[in-house]
Amino acid sequence: SGKKLLQLKEGANSILYYSQDPSKNIEIVKPLSLEAHENSDGPKVFYFNVTNGNKANEKLYTNAVQPAISVKFLEPSIVTYAKLINKNTNLAINLGTNDLLELEKQMPVSQNLPDGEYRFELNAKNKNNIFMDTLFVAAIVVDTSKPQLSISPSKDEVIETASTVIRLAFSEESK
């Protein structure tokens, strides 16, 4: 419970305020600008991918050393922050942003990425300057090595029983 202090109109608002010192002297009047919007949800990501991307176990895998990151929003949005962070070294790579309202944003990585896991972080705002509720975060794994598969029994092995167990062993995590 409480009392309504003021009512804001839809869109741009300006509030004038001042302070008073202990001797009751009024200080300089200062303006404060803010925006108010009804139904003020920020942008939402509905599609995310990277060059040659394959999703497995909540991670996006790619063999591209300079992948392009693609993000699609539910409404035209301006990407205000986009960064890739190497999980092992904490090296951060800032990705290009601009002031264009776009439904889809392509962000190429401008340098070769070493194999490893990266944390992708993104923030955006809509046409009303309302930011996403939380950062969009995703795991991207750059893996340029070719996986190996071992099968037993081997291809030249003779099996003399009616039933046998076939075992597949992968050199890397698989889905």
Side-chain angles (χ1 to χ4, degrees), residues 71-123:
V71 178
K72 292 183 183 177
F73 297 97
L74 291 174
E75 65 179 308
S77 303
I78 297 170
V79 173
T80 58
Y81 169 84
K83 188 180 280 192
L84 266 179
I85 303 164
N86 185 307
K87 283 211 164 183
N88 290 332
T89 65
N90 284 326
L91 176 69
I93 300 166
N94 290 315
L95 302 174
T97 61
N98 57 36
D99 289 335
L100 298 176
L101 276 169
E102 300 172 296
L103 276 172
E104 181 175 357
K105 178 72 172 170
Q106 296 286 333
M107 293 170 278
V109 177
S110 61
Q111 64 190 63
N112 287 348
L113 300 176
D115 282 10
E117 187 170 337
Y118 295 82
R119 175 182 164 99
F120 174 68
E121 298 177 348
L122 174 119
N123 200 355

Side-chain angles (χ1 to χ4, degrees), residues 8-24:
L8 300 173
K9 67 180 187 204
E10 179 85 13
N13 291 269
S14 182
I15 298 173
L16 300 175
Y17 70 96
Y18 62 88
S19 60
Q20 190 174 9
D21 67 20
S23 299
K24 305 283 186 201

Side-chain angles (χ1 to χ4, degrees), residues 49-55 59-64:
N49 205 349
V50 297
T51 307
N52 300 332
N54 290 302
K55 190 171 186 180
K59 295 177 184 175
L60 203 50
Y61 288 81
T62 181
N63 61 359

